[in-house]
Amino acid sequence: MHNPRRSDRLRYPHGMRRFLTAVALIALASRAQAEQKNLQILTGMSDLELQRTMNMMRSSLGVNCDYCHVVDDKGSWDFASDAKREKETARDMMQMAEKLNHEQFGGRAAISCNTCHRGSTHPMSLVTLPQTAPPFPTPKSTRPTLPSLEDVTKHYAAAMGDASRLGSPRILRGTREGFDGKPLPIEIQESNGRVHVETTMGEAKLEQWWDTKSGASRDSGGVHKFGDSQAENFRELTSAYSPQVPGAIPKDARVLRKEKVGDHDTILVAASLDGRTHARYYFDAASGLLVRRMIITDGPIGPLPQQTDFEDYRDVGGTKFPFMVRVSLVDPWVSATRHYSDVQLGAKLEDTVFVPPQ
């Protein structure tokens, strides 16, 4: 469980601390490096996986990280400390969840902290009283008529237009709203897994570069290379914000049911991407466009969700592109909404754009 406002101080000059917190584009500097000195349950995970798991527990209980972790009178975090009883209780609960998933659910991440806590520090064990008499016999729900997977994907592909252009180099301009709700200008250049981002707040300017292997940022204090967890986080977020290519929906996906998402009547399609990663796609029943994508990763003590909402589709040279993209994670400090004002697909971008200064 981690608050980025602390970790930013570990890596950046004083003049940029508030800026980096407000922008929240720099991947969170994981507190896992400190926690690894005293990890007893959640071992063998990457910094990002550990951070996500901690935040899943935090959000399940509806608390901040100081509920289990020690903060001294100077505001410094001692993540390795076992001084709080709540931390020992959390370890017991992690072992219980891991045992249940292993023994009762064949290793699937079926049980998590949220199964019982639902945003409360105390498990929700009591039924609601008073109870009204249920109908007898219990009504049986009827399965609605659902379209085939082929029909859903064809409808989506037709609605998107020339989806092949989604993989072409692009420039995205607009604003980004982080957890504080303050919009900041942003320009993103992407090509073949390489990304360059620029944003400003007042007179301060921040640039970032990353690809499939590494990354760096530049601010008033100079150039800073990304650590492994930062680079991993950026790559994950790049994928989260990217529109869904119709051809990338697995052929063995299943059409499950109809569901309401906001004002949309949607068709829910589910798929397994690999042994521990699953996807849910919510297609607007009328337009065929994708309005929500959820990527769920199985963790040792429960599933970790990542949700992307797509809205305000507009035609960009024959291709429908969402001009509002919201990414929601168990890390509220990383969750954000992008509002694009200008989208260029098939942009001509020089390779030098993606090379950070030395």
Side-chain angles (χ1 to χ4, degrees), residues 23 43 65 73 76 102 105 107 111 133 136 154 190 225 227 234 331 341:
V23 177
T43 58
C65 311
D73 56 4
S76 297
H102 177 71
F105 297 97
I111 297 297
F136 179 84
K154 281 185 176 180
E190 297 183 57
K225 290 185 177 181
F234 269 115
D331 298 333
S341 57

Side-chain angles (χ1 to χ4, degrees), residues 147-149 152-153 249-250 252-257 267-271 279-283 294:
S148 67
L149 176 64
V152 173
T153 54
I249 298 171
D252 59 352
R254 296 173 298 132
V255 180
L256 293 187
R257 57 183 176 269
I267 305 297
L268 171 57
V269 174
R280 296 178 184 175
Y281 308 99
Y282 299 80
F283 298 93
M294 288 194 70

Side-chain angles (χ1 to χ4, degrees), residues 1 17 51 105 134 208 222 264 323:
M1 294 177 287
R17 289 172 190 164
Q51 180 179 301
F105 297 97
Q208 298 161 322
H264 300 274
F323 274 60

Side-chain angles (χ1 to χ4, degrees), residues 105-166:
F105 297 97
R108 292 189 299 110
I111 297 297
S112 74
C113 310
N114 195 60
T115 304
C116 296
H117 283 270
R118 300 299 177 96
S120 171
T121 55
H122 299 286
M124 308 298 286
S125 57
L126 294 176
V127 298
T128 301
L129 295 177
Q131 284 277 305
T132 57
F136 179 84
T138 300
K140 294 183 179 180
S141 60
T142 57
R143 183 178 173 84
T145 301
L146 297 172
S148 67
L149 176 64
E150 182 180 10
D151 287 341
V152 173
T153 54
K154 281 185 176 180
H155 194 187
Y156 178 49
M160 289 294 289
D162 186 2
S164 66
R165 299 176 70 238
L166 294 176

Side-chain angles (χ1 to χ4, degrees), residues 163-336:
S164 66
R165 299 176 70 238
L166 294 176
S168 65
R170 60 189 177 215
I171 300 174
L172 311 171
R173 296 187 181 94
T175 59
R176 177 191 183 280
E177 294 179 10
F179 69 95
D180 59 1
K182 297 178 180 178
L184 291 169
I186 187 172
E187 178 173 324
I188 305 163
Q189 298 164 314
E190 297 183 57
S191 178
N192 296 322
R194 302 171 299 172
V195 183
H196 173 228
V197 177
E198 288 187 41
T199 189
T200 58
M201 189 174 76
E203 297 182 357
K205 180 180 178 181
L206 174 67
E207 288 186 88
Q208 298 161 322
W209 300 261
W210 67 90
D211 54 26
T212 57
K213 297 180 180 179
S214 61
S217 67
R218 178 169 64 180
D219 55 34
S220 60
V223 177
H224 315 272
K225 290 185 177 181
F226 286 172
D228 290 343
S229 62
Q230 288 177 304
E232 182 184 5
N233 198 3
F234 269 115
R235 288 192 293 269
E236 182 178 284
L237 288 174
T238 300
S239 176
Y241 281 103
S242 296
Q244 182 71 38
V245 176
I249 298 171
K251 302 299 183 184
D252 59 352
R254 296 173 298 132
V255 180
L256 293 187
R257 57 183 176 269
K258 296 180 179 180
E259 261 192 42
K260 196 80 172 179
V261 175
D263 296 329
H264 300 274
D265 293 316
T266 71
I267 305 297
L268 171 57
V269 174
S272 291
L273 304 183
D274 57 42
R276 59 189 294 264
T277 310
H278 317 280
R280 296 178 184 175
Y281 308 99
Y282 299 80
F283 298 93
D284 185 279
S287 71
L289 292 170
L290 182 68
V291 298
R292 174 172 292 173
R293 177 182 63 213
M294 288 194 70
I295 303 298
I296 303 168
T297 304
D298 290 340
I301 58 170
L304 304 176
Q306 171 189 287
Q307 179 175 295
T308 304
D309 290 296
F310 302 99
E311 294 282 355
D312 191 17
Y313 280 88
R314 304 181 196 177
D315 185 88
V316 180
T319 303
K320 286 290 181 65
F321 197 92
F323 274 60
M324 192 289 289
V325 183
R326 177 184 298 109
V327 171
S328 304
L329 301 152
V330 290
D331 298 333
W333 302 283
V334 182
S335 303

Side-chain angles (χ1 to χ4, degrees), residues 26-165:
I26 288 290
L28 300 180
S30 174
R31 54 105 196 96
Q33 294 169 345
E35 181 72 355
Q36 284 170 350
K37 298 176 182 178
N38 196 15
L39 282 174
Q40 299 179 26
I41 308 297
L42 301 175
T43 58
M45 306 174 74
S46 72
D47 284 359
L48 185 60
E49 290 173 329
L50 180 57
Q51 180 179 301
R52 292 281 190 269
T53 301
M54 286 287 185
N55 269 290
M56 182 272 286
M57 290 189 285
R58 175 205 59 72
S59 58
S60 296
L61 272 66
V63 298
N64 209 317
C65 311
D66 62 329
Y67 185 75
C68 291
H69 293 294
V70 171
V71 184
D72 65 23
D73 56 4
K74 296 181 180 179
S76 297
W77 294 76
D78 185 358
F79 288 108
S81 173
D82 288 337
K84 287 196 169 185
R85 177 180 56 82
E86 290 84 356
K87 188 175 181 182
E88 287 302 318
T89 301
R91 286 195 176 116
D92 291 340
M93 296 297 99
M94 284 189 276
Q95 289 178 315
M96 179 186 70
E98 194 171 26
K99 187 173 188 293
L100 282 170
N101 284 328
H102 177 71
E103 295 182 357
Q104 303 299 322
F105 297 97
R108 292 189 299 110
I111 297 297
S112 74
C113 310
N114 195 60
T115 304
C116 296
H117 283 270
R118 300 299 177 96
S120 171
T121 55
H122 299 286
M124 308 298 286
S125 57
L126 294 176
V127 298
T128 301
L129 295 177
Q131 284 277 305
T132 57
F136 179 84
T138 300
K140 294 183 179 180
S141 60
T142 57
R143 183 178 173 84
T145 301
L146 297 172
S148 67
L149 176 64
E150 182 180 10
D151 287 341
V152 173
T153 54
K154 281 185 176 180
H155 194 187
Y156 178 49
M160 289 294 289
D162 186 2
S164 66
R165 299 176 70 238

